[in-house]
Amino acid sequence: MTDPAENGPILVLNAGSSSIKFALFDPNLIETLSGMADAIGGASRLRIGDDTHDVPLIDHRAALEAILKALAERGITPATLRAVGHRVVHGGRKLTGPMRVTDEVRAEIANCTPLAPLHNPHNLAPMEALSRLAPDLPQFASFDTSFHATNPNVATRYAIPKMMETKGIRRYGFHGLSYASLVRRLPEVSGEALPSRLLAFHLGNGASLCAIHNGQSIATTMGYSPLDGLTMGTRSGGIDANAVLRLVEENGLERTKAILNHESGLLGLSGGKSDMRKLMLDASAESAFAVEHFCYWTLRHAGSLIAALEGLDAIAFTGGIGENAVGVRARILRGLEWAGVRINPDFNHRSGPRLHGESSKVAVWVIPAEEERMIAMDALALLEAA
């Protein structure tokens, strides 16, 4: 007798610090429904498809219950699902590829909590809840750090004593699911083989760059945590360690964490705006400076990763800013003309997918982010392998 769930949908859960995104994919990996529980613990709301409702969600457990209830009203229950795929921000040194969730895997995700305290506990909570609710439902985890496991040791090792390095203080890199999806999608969009030396820009509220050589990450701008690298929506990006120590001396540890993670970046530079769309529409000097700061440091880091690649064949933009902020893309690409980049303004205003002109020595593309679909692909591949 065929299990009705064998041809059922795959549910993908992407839990953040104050939200849970979800999406359903059919057996052909076509997204059939998506939504989000947002502003958990505050003025929370639940969106499923085109419907949005204000719903009190005091924590992630309540959010998951609300999502499952809303799906059940549409005839989708754990019993009808083929599998659930989860995004996990940090896999540490041991969890370097997608895998089925077991007690041992959950324990290791928990062990990585000190490396991502704002994310891993929330990534773990739905796994544990579903394991109690539907113990026979296969669950799979995909890790944001795993794409960067191919970085050489010289790129991941901080110049600190080895006793500290062995405690997990090293560069990991993030946005790996976005980059993995980009590597898969770019040949489909371009109709050409994947470029050997590809510089990928994941630009959103969180932002990073990745140097991809023959499909593998060899360097990235985020490090031990998602705080490092570019100027971001509310994160400072790169900052001298002694400046951080001074902030701790003057403000205390917890206050400094809040400053660097939630009050800095575009928000701190502009005096209150972290959304790039609002900054681009605001004529104030502070907003203009914040946008220029974002572009300047993106270019500074781009030069570093081009050096790591020892050249450049193609550029790809993804993420909310990368896909939609025409002016930001134009500013960044103008700053890379020394590398042979020539933009076609008409293509850029249409947001691609092709941005480069005929005379450009470097191909430039816009690739929509498909992190949830990548997680579903990982889950399906593991199901079929089993």
Side-chain angles (χ1 to χ4, degrees), residues 17 118 234-235 257-264 267:
S17 58
L118 300 179
T234 64
R235 299 177 193 143
K257 286 181 181 178
I259 291 169
L260 295 177
N261 284 286
H262 304 297
E263 301 172 19
S264 297
L267 185 74

Side-chain angles (χ1 to χ4, degrees), residues 186-187 190 192-198 212-215 313-315 363 365:
L186 180 54
S190 68
E192 302 169 358
L194 185 73
S196 177
R197 298 172 298 183
L198 171 64
I212 300 172
H213 187 255
N214 293 332
D313 300 315
I315 288 169
W365 302 93

